[in-house]
Amino acid sequence: MKIKNLFSVSAFCFLALSCSSSDDITQPSSDPNSTVSTTEAMYFPPSNSDVWETKSLSALNWHQDKVQDLLTYLETKHSKSFMILQNGRIVMENYFSGHTSTTPWYWASAGKTLTSTVTGIAEQEGFININNKVSTYIGTGWTSAPLAKENLITCRNLLTMTSGLDDSLGDDVSPANLQYKADAGTRWAYHNVYVKLQDVVAAATGQTWSQYFNTKLRDKIGMTGNWIQSGDNSVYWSTTRSMARFGLMALNNGNWNGTQIINSNYFQSATNTSQSINLAYGYLWWLNGKTSYHMPQTQFQFNGKLIPSAPDDMFCALGKNDQKIYVVPSKKLVIIRMGDAADNVNLALSDFDDVLWQKINAVIN
């Protein structure tokens, strides 16, 4: 199938007032006696515009000869789109199988990070406290657990996947399907009950979830897209570039072009280990570089890093059928992959992640 490369290798967009956009490293002054240096500023694309600055692989000393191997692998593994931002600028943007820059696609569970972020915004605006029990906001009886056990479940437990509710009963979050398994905070289990945070935010703010989300996050960073009901799940759909905008905000610790969208302290907590059971999990974000991790639908602890070939400081949003947002602060990278399942259907992590990172490393290192 033909690959459409919009920005695989691109020339620089020099701005008249910019100091330098040729590299993401410190540039020496032209004065040999000067100790002053300039560093390329982080770039943010404007809202309501298709304008997005680009950067060439050669300027980064990346390996052009390894790009085709990466693209071939992506296409073979049923990808719809792939995008790399470095310091906010597009280095690669590729579409496959008829997908385009304007075609929406579903985030699946990668969209959990949107819920995490908006929950944090609601807290910073004083509507909620994540340490409060969920029933403070949506009333009791939202589960079928004994009342004393239900009242142990806080908003933080939903953010960290430690509700203690039975994860074997599917995605239905009606009270009858939310059954007690263990005390909140004592068991990590990947569970769709996190979506109750959307009900919490709606009840506390007096707005619908979509209204609050659009106003406080989507529109502020120039995203497009909508929440669409799919069975028991509300799933976010957007273009690849909108997903990349969210990743860029995440790379900047919740800041968008000088505006702090979400409290930086909350966002730091969201992207670091949130409990002692699954070290590789924050507030609905997955974390690399930890000594062990847990996976959905199992209580087994795996030793080692989540994605061995990826940078240790990477945090990521991972969704069913290999929807990916990789954020690497040390390299100022945001990497997006959308598409169908690379191999077998999976909820989040797959072997595809590690092989994909091997291909990415061949290009960027």
Side-chain angles (χ1 to χ4, degrees), residues 29-336:
S29 168
S30 58
D31 179 357
N33 297 316
S34 174
T35 58
V36 177
S37 61
T38 59
T39 302
E40 179 190 65
M42 181 72 67
Y43 172 78
F44 296 85
S47 299
N48 303 316
S49 172
D50 290 333
V51 173
W52 200 315
E53 283 192 22
T54 61
K55 182 183 292 187
S56 68
L57 281 84
S58 59
L60 292 164
N61 294 318
W62 289 4
H63 301 286
Q64 176 65 48
D65 60 327
K66 302 295 184 181
V67 168
Q68 191 56 53
D69 185 47
L70 169 60
L71 295 178
T72 299
Y73 180 71
L74 286 162
E75 186 173 30
T76 300
K77 293 298 183 177
H78 317 299
S79 300
K80 297 288 186 183
S81 64
F82 180 76
M83 192 170 184
I84 298 182
L85 307 183
Q86 202 284 328
N87 214 25
R89 293 164 179 84
I90 296 173
V91 186
M92 295 180 64
E93 185 178 19
N94 307 90
Y95 297 96
F96 311 85
S97 303
H99 202 80
T100 72
S101 61
T102 60
T103 309
W105 194 252
Y106 60 89
W107 289 39
S109 286
K112 286 181 170 65
T113 55
L114 297 172
T115 299
S116 169
T117 300
V118 174
T119 299
I121 293 171
E123 182 175 62
Q124 78 188 23
E125 293 194 331
F127 290 111
I128 67 172
N129 182 325
I130 64 169
N131 294 311
N132 287 346
K133 59 189 178 182
V134 175
S135 56
T136 298
Y137 305 102
I138 61 174
T140 58
W142 64 276
T143 75
S144 60
L147 182 59
K149 300 301 185 181
E150 179 182 280
N151 280 334
L152 295 176
I153 305 172
T154 65
C155 296
R156 184 187 293 272
N157 291 134
L158 299 190
L159 286 168
T160 61
M161 294 292 184
T162 57
S163 68
L165 298 172
D166 191 343
D167 56 309
S168 68
L169 303 177
D171 289 339
D172 176 12
V173 292
S174 64
N177 210 51
L178 297 178
Q179 299 181 16
Y180 174 82
K181 182 80 172 182
D183 283 2
T186 65
R187 182 176 184 268
W188 187 91
Y190 197 77
H191 196 304
N192 197 47
V193 70
Y194 87 92
V195 77
K196 285 295 181 180
L197 287 167
Q198 298 181 6
D199 295 341
V200 167
V201 170
T205 63
Q207 301 179 45
T208 67
W209 165 254
S210 290
Q211 287 172 336
Y212 192 75
F213 168 84
N214 292 348
T215 302
K216 299 299 181 178
L217 178 59
R218 186 192 72 173
D219 298 345
K220 285 192 172 184
I221 66 174
M223 291 174 64
T224 59
N226 291 287
W227 295 91
I228 297 175
Q229 195 66 32
S230 176
D232 294 319
N233 297 308
S234 180
V235 180
Y236 199 70
W237 287 70
S238 83
T239 64
T240 303
R241 284 191 171 199
S242 282
M243 187 183 249
R245 283 176 179 267
F246 178 69
L248 182 56
M249 187 207 68
L251 176 65
N252 287 277
N253 200 31
N255 189 283
W256 183 265
N257 200 20
T259 299
Q260 198 66 40
I261 303 298
I262 180 172
N263 180 280
S264 58
N265 290 332
Y266 174 94
F267 201 78
Q268 280 291 305
S269 296
T271 54
N272 281 281
T273 300
S274 60
Q275 27 65 50
S276 61
I277 305 168
N278 184 358
L279 303 183
Y281 209 71
Y283 294 170
L284 307 178
W285 285 93
W286 291 91
L287 316 173
N288 204 39
K290 307 304 178 183
T291 57
S292 63
Y293 60 92
H294 285 241
M295 291 292 292
Q297 299 179 331
T298 177
Q299 289 296 297
F300 185 77
Q301 178 174 294
F302 298 87
N303 293 323
K305 296 194 299 181
L306 189 71
I307 305 175
S309 59
D312 283 357
D313 68 323
M314 183 181 77
F315 57 94
C316 43
L318 303 175
K320 182 179 179 179
N321 297 335
D322 294 302
Q323 318 311 320
K324 316 287 184 185
I325 306 175
Y326 301 124
V327 181
V328 186
S330 61
K331 295 181 179 292
K332 299 183 180 179
L333 292 176
V334 175
I335 301 177
I336 306 297

